Amino acid sequence: MPAAKTTTSTFCDLNLPAPLLATLTKVGYEIPTPIQVQAIPHLLKGLDLLGHAPTGTGKTAAFALPLLARIDLKRPQVQVMTLTPTRELAIQVAKAFQ
């Protein structure tokens, strides 16, 4: 995905559902990072994405928020599966999803 100008200043601008926005506010997320600004709208459309950004720039939230937004609570089937290369990273990602 090519680098894009980031004019988004809030998570509200990314069209995330209200419950997710409320949770983001509650946990202290205020301004999306560049990787989040670029990835979230793309992933909300259900498109594939390969993103690259330094450690600590919000990559987990960049892919987790759109996945959480697309979950249909009325469907009891597995809707999201996240694979990681290590157990430690799996634990970290699971905590971020929670």
Side-chain angles (χ1 to χ4, degrees):
M1 175 178 232
K5 277 189 179 179
T6 57
T7 58
T8 302
S9 59
T10 69
F11 283 98
C12 291
D13 298 331
L14 298 175
N15 297 318
L16 291 167
L20 276 180
L21 293 173
T23 301
L24 289 171
T25 299
K26 184 177 176 181
V27 298
Y29 278 52
E30 296 176 2
I31 300 170
T33 65
I35 188 73
Q36 293 164 349
V37 170
Q38 292 178 46
I40 290 172
H42 191 80
L43 295 172
L44 282 172
K45 294 176 187 173
L47 301 171
D48 292 337
L49 175 77
L50 176 61
H52 178 77
T55 300
T57 57
K59 291 183 299 294
T60 302
F63 76 80
L65 292 171
L67 290 173
L68 292 170
R70 293 174 53 88
I71 289 176
D72 180 353
L73 297 176
K74 296 175 185 165
R75 291 182 55 210
Q77 300 91 348
V78 173
Q79 296 177 56
V80 173
M81 181 183 298
T82 304
L83 303 176
T84 64
T86 65
R87 184 181 194 314
E88 292 78 14
L89 186 56
I91 292 167
Q92 179 183 337
V93 169
K95 286 180 183 177
F97 267 79
Q98 292 175 348

